[in-house]
Amino acid sequence: MLLAYGGGSIKKNGIYDTILEQFSKAGLAFAELSGIQPNPRIESVEEGIKLYRENGCDFILAVGGGSTLDACKAIAAGVKYDGPASDLFVNESGVSPIVAAAPLATILTMAGTGSELDMGAVITVGEDHKKKVVMHPLLNPRFSILDPEYTYTVPEHHSMAGVADILCHLMEQYFTPDANAKVQDRMNEGVMKVVLEDAPKILANPKDYDARANIMWASSMALAGFQFVLGKPMFPFPLHGMGHELSSKYDMTHGVTLALLTPAWMRHTMSAAPEHLPVFARFARNVLDIREEDDAKAAEDGVKKLRAFYSAIKMPANLREAGVKEEDLEVMAEKAVENGNLGILTSIGKDEALQIMRAAF
Ligand code: NZQ
Ligand code: ZN
């Protein structure tokens, strides 16, 4: 077995000791991969592949947040692949080269990415720290243990960034051309409402079991099988495409990048594609309880209320406040679309990405 974890939070909060106790009771031998960083690097994946092979492992247990889980998914694919780990990414046409993977299970210690219940991973690679996707159904964890108490010690910044990530996964699937996918959309709205309601409870009391449990389950539900986008066209998530560039350039926390860009992206889309205003108005009414009959006004009130939520959960107000330099925007906009335009309500190329980033600045 390969036991993998991040920078050591599991040693401070006792989860590591609990696991080792169980391993000892079960007589399980294991090798350890530690030090997986947020925005995990391909070097950790390579180290994990080597350790797995050298120690004759047959199973991977990932303990941590999305970064550890993602690195382990790439390791699971890498140990069954006879070539460099950098070959494992999904190509420009969305095709995955993966044909086999080692079995993987997870113990989730922070809510946000949904990696515990999905088949994807995001790995940082190369000198420009590009974030690339590894994806295959074989990478779905065999099981994931979700104990809300394990998330009590997550620092406030990361707890709230996780909330922003969950919300964005739900929004990326919601803001699609209206396909009359009522079940998907009403379920999605319900989960979004829970996230908005319970995030402030965690801020007030990090040991609020019910709030931690609801946010943790929302994290898993948000991306599970892309259930909220079923029946709708699949497309590159625009906010994630742009947000990853902020992480590449500044090593910024994933969820924070999304909170920073979302209001600007909403306003851009509402103005570039006014035919989709009803979707934004419906979001404002059904999720944010805006009572306004005019679609354009309701949609704008929705953006304002969402911004107020981000500020209540202590996300930075704009890119400048988050430490971004204006002169970097153009390169980031270019890189965000280097594998093709993003989005579906509007097509986002370099110019549009730059407009959105400038508006978020
Ligand atoms: O490394 P340790 O010491 O464990 O500390 C971590 C890290 O510093 C800490 N932490 C986690 N659980 C803790 C804790 N600290 C105290 N107590 C606990 N119980 O939190 C920090 C952040 O951890 P990280 O794993 O980086 O956070 P997150 O879960 O937000 O993962 C982010 C990564 O996931 C990718 C992102 O791009 C980013 O690289 N994503 C993965 C997705 C997927 N697989 O489907 C989808 C997402 O959209 C996202 O792109
Ligand atoms: Zn995300």
Side-chain angles (χ1 to χ4, degrees):
M1 149 113 61
L2 180 68
L3 168 66
Y5 51 92
S9 69
I10 66 163
K11 290 197 168 163
K12 288 192 201 125
N13 59 23
I15 298 174
Y16 179 82
D17 289 341
T18 307
I19 292 169
L20 258 53
E21 207 178 298
Q22 295 301 320
F23 281 3
S24 156
K25 275 190 198 155
L28 281 173
F30 66 96
E32 268 181 67
L33 170 66
S34 61
I36 299 169
Q37 298 167 26
N39 298 319
R41 307 286 195 271
I42 195 153
E43 289 76 14
S44 288
V45 175
E46 288 160 350
E47 192 187 343
I49 293 171
K50 196 163 162 266
L51 275 171
Y52 185 100
R53 287 181 175 148
E54 281 173 2
N55 290 280
C57 299
D58 56 4
F59 194 86
I60 303 170
L61 181 62
V63 187
S67 296
T68 294
L69 272 51
D70 283 6
C72 287
K73 286 176 173 174
I75 294 167
V79 296
K80 298 285 180 184
Y81 179 73
D82 197 16
S86 54
D87 283 359
L88 296 167
F89 299 109
V90 171
N91 71 15
E92 282 89 33
S93 319
V95 178
S96 170
I98 295 167
V99 290
L104 159 89
T106 85
I107 299 178
L108 186 67
T109 65
M110 116 153 227
T113 64
S115 187
E116 66 278 10
L117 214 79
D118 74 23
M119 60 177 175
V122 184
I123 304 296
T124 297
V125 60
E127 279 181 11
D128 62 351
H129 295 169
K130 188 76 186 169
K131 295 193 87 174
K132 294 191 175 182
V133 173
V134 177
M135 194 177 288
H136 195 278
L138 287 168
L139 303 182
N140 272 308
R142 299 292 168 102
F143 65 84
S144 285
I145 295 177
L146 275 67
D147 182 340
E149 291 187 11
Y150 284 180
T151 67
Y152 284 174
T153 53
V154 180
E156 183 179 276
H157 167 78
H158 284 293
S159 293
M160 294 303 118
V163 162
D165 193 18
I166 299 167
L167 198 55
C168 190
H169 295 157
L170 295 162
M171 291 173 76
E172 299 258 38
Q173 296 172 87
Y174 188 83
F175 290 111
T176 49
D178 195 348
N180 204 21
K182 284 190 183 169
V183 174
Q184 294 87 316
D185 286 342
R186 293 299 92 72
M187 281 168 39
N188 188 336
E189 287 163 2
V191 183
M192 286 196 266
K193 280 181 89 79
V194 170
V195 173
L196 296 170
E197 263 170 47
D198 280 24
K201 294 183 192 167
I202 292 175
L203 266 185
N205 173 16
K207 293 190 177 171
D208 182 329
Y209 182 92
D210 289 338
R212 287 286 193 186
N214 286 330
I215 295 293
M216 198 172 206
W217 194 224
S219 152
S220 304
M221 286 296 101
L223 277 183
F226 293 110
Q227 58 179 330
F228 300 125
V229 86
L230 285 178
K232 303 174 171 195
M234 265 307 273
F235 56 95
F237 285 179
L239 289 159
H240 277 69
M242 292 183 282
H244 285 332
E245 294 308 321
L246 293 169
S247 294
S248 294
K249 183 75 193 162
Y250 297 100
D251 205 16
M252 201 185 284
T253 301
H254 173 63
V256 174
T257 70
L258 305 169
L260 282 165
L261 294 169
T262 300
W265 170 81
M266 290 172 86
R267 288 203 171 103
H268 168 86
T269 310
M270 283 152 49
S271 124
E275 67 277 20
H276 295 305
L277 264 178
V279 181
F280 289 88
R282 192 181 66 200
F283 169 76
R285 294 186 189 113
N286 292 0
V287 180
L288 297 164
D289 299 322
I290 300 288
R291 301 276 163 259
E292 165 60 59
E293 288 191 6
D294 178 76
D295 276 0
K297 283 189 197 149
E300 175 55 29
D301 288 354
V303 179
K304 287 194 185 120
K305 202 157 175 186
L306 183 67
R307 263 202 105 109
F309 171 76
Y310 286 138
S311 117
I313 63 165
K314 305 188 184 177
M315 293 292 109
N318 50 47
L319 294 180
R320 187 196 305 267
E321 192 183 304
V324 172
K325 295 197 187 82
E326 197 166 9
E327 60 266 29
D328 291 336
L329 297 183
E330 186 155 357
V331 176
M332 289 193 291
E334 196 171 333
K335 289 193 169 192
V337 299
E338 68 189 2
N339 290 328
N341 284 11
L342 302 167
I344 190 157
L345 294 182
T346 56
S347 176
I348 298 174
K350 183 193 160 186
D351 291 347
E352 292 78 17
L354 186 55
Q355 278 170 32
I356 293 166
M357 288 181 184
R358 284 207 173 117
F361 188 77

